[in-house]
Amino acid sequence: MALSNTIRTYFKDTWHQGDYPVMNAADHGAWLGSTVFDGARFVDGLTPDLDAHCARVNRSAKALMIEPTITDENMVELVHEGLRGFDKGTAVYIRPMYWAINGDSTGIMPEPGETGFAISLEAVPMAPADASTTLTRTRFRRPVLENAVCNAKAGCLYPNNARMIAEAKSKGFGNALVADAMGNVAESATANVFMVRDGEVFTPIANGTFLSGITRARHIKNLREDGFTVHETVLTFDDFDRADEVFLSGNMNKVTPVTAFDDKTYEVGPITKRARELYWDWAHSDS
């Protein structure tokens, strides 16, 4: 699914212009969903935490029993090589991805050896600075490791997220606040979540049911270094009903303020704004 008309694709040692075809119909990834990917950003000439995103896609591949073929360092170099085809002022979504090509004798388990690999670089603007979203409850929940590959950024996990978003939109909301198997808040349907109460910051503890994001970790570190108390803890929907501020944390837009959760409304508060400032201050200083 192309989000724009400006794409560069790395496949089989070559950069191609456009949304280049990379997968065969009989590839294991095509018919059994053994695909993993990661997402990073190129903004204002910066690639925040690119090394961490490349390392994670290799970990995700191993979790899905796919043999990674590119080192973290080489992947970073390839991305920078491909980004030279874009203007510095263009915001780019960076997607390295793996998929299994062959299966074992059952056809189900990926076979070690040949592995599909590609990098998709796509011009996708950042959301406007004043963009926000709204949240509602959903009947769908995050799975656990025993019945899904929660320790990987795997394509096969996303149809469940799509059901959450479809339900939220049918109720007139932009996104869903999602529970884990125990009924506690895990994340939204698209990103990790933070809330603020009485000047302190809270985020659901990483309990293995959701991907504890790279951008999430960066916000926690930045906020703590700026003097804020940040709690990683068990949170309920009632906690969000009592929150002063809520924001989402994801690679696509880094910080997305939340202005409503069902009947509860929030202002875009000072700590949400500070989290965004701290992120971009760090990104420019780290370059």
Side-chain angles (χ1 to χ4, degrees):
M1 179 195 73
L3 301 174
S4 79
N5 295 321
T6 307
I7 301 176
R8 300 193 76 203
T9 306
Y10 178 84
F11 183 59
K12 292 189 175 179
D13 302 322
T14 302
W15 281 102
H16 308 268
Q17 288 300 126
D19 191 17
Y20 191 82
V22 298
M23 190 179 288
N24 294 318
D27 283 359
H28 192 277
W31 68 288
L32 288 176
S34 54
T35 66
V36 296
F37 73 101
D38 217 286
R41 271 297 205 173
F42 175 73
V43 182
D44 296 332
L46 307 172
T47 53
D49 279 324
L50 176 61
D51 55 344
H53 287 284
C54 291
R56 187 170 66 181
V57 76
N58 277 337
R59 293 197 304 272
S60 292
K62 292 176 182 177
L64 213 64
M65 297 177 286
I66 303 169
E67 186 176 358
T69 56
I70 309 292
T71 67
D72 304 352
E73 296 78 12
N74 286 349
M75 201 181 302
V76 170
E77 292 174 3
L78 285 170
V79 169
H80 281 295
E81 179 183 285
L83 288 172
R84 287 196 282 272
F86 293 85
D87 294 334
K88 183 179 178 181
T90 301
V92 178
Y93 188 39
I94 302 165
R95 288 188 299 259
M97 60 191 78
Y98 286 108
W99 61 96
I101 291 179
N102 300 308
D104 71 347
S105 58
T106 68
I108 303 299
M109 192 172 78
E111 183 78 8
E114 190 178 5
T115 301
F117 175 76
I119 302 172
S120 176
L121 303 179
E122 184 169 6
V124 179
M126 298 291 292
D130 60 352
S132 62
T133 193
T134 56
L135 299 175
T136 186
R137 290 167 173 82
T138 172
R139 70 186 185 277
F140 302 111
R141 294 192 177 188
R142 291 293 306 168
V144 295
L145 187 61
E146 286 74 15
N147 60 23
V149 283
C150 303
N151 57 337
K153 195 169 177 68
C156 58
L157 296 173
Y158 281 78
N160 193 43
N161 297 48
R163 296 193 300 175
M164 300 167 187
I165 295 169
E167 183 182 6
K169 288 186 179 296
S170 73
K171 295 161 64 177
F173 293 84
N175 207 326
L177 192 61
V178 181
D180 61 18
M182 298 298 293
N184 298 309
V185 172
E187 60 175 353
S188 79
T190 62
N192 297 139
V193 66
F194 288 79
M195 55 164 273
V196 178
R197 187 169 64 229
D198 299 328
E200 297 188 356
V201 182
F202 299 79
T203 191
I205 191 165
N207 61 4
T209 66
F210 64 93
L211 206 60
S212 175
I214 292 165
T215 307
R216 171 187 181 274
R218 184 60 61 191
H219 288 318
I220 292 171
K221 187 173 188 293
N222 288 345
L223 287 163
R224 283 175 174 164
E225 289 179 351
D226 200 49
F228 291 97
T229 299
V230 182
H231 305 274
E232 295 182 80
T233 187
V234 175
L235 296 171
T236 66
F237 290 114
D238 287 342
D239 289 315
F240 282 81
D241 281 329
R242 295 192 298 268
D244 302 317
E245 304 175 42
V246 174
F247 65 91
L248 304 184
S249 156
N251 165 69
M252 184 63 83
N253 292 310
K254 307 306 179 183
V255 173
T256 302
V258 173
T259 56
F261 168 49
D262 286 332
D263 295 331
K264 168 75 175 184
T265 59
Y266 312 103
E267 297 294 325
V268 181
I271 297 180
T272 299
K273 294 175 182 176
R274 185 59 179 156
R276 177 184 280 129
E277 291 172 359
L278 289 170
Y279 183 86
W280 290 114
D281 286 349
W282 163 78
H284 281 88
S285 66
D286 190 62
S287 65

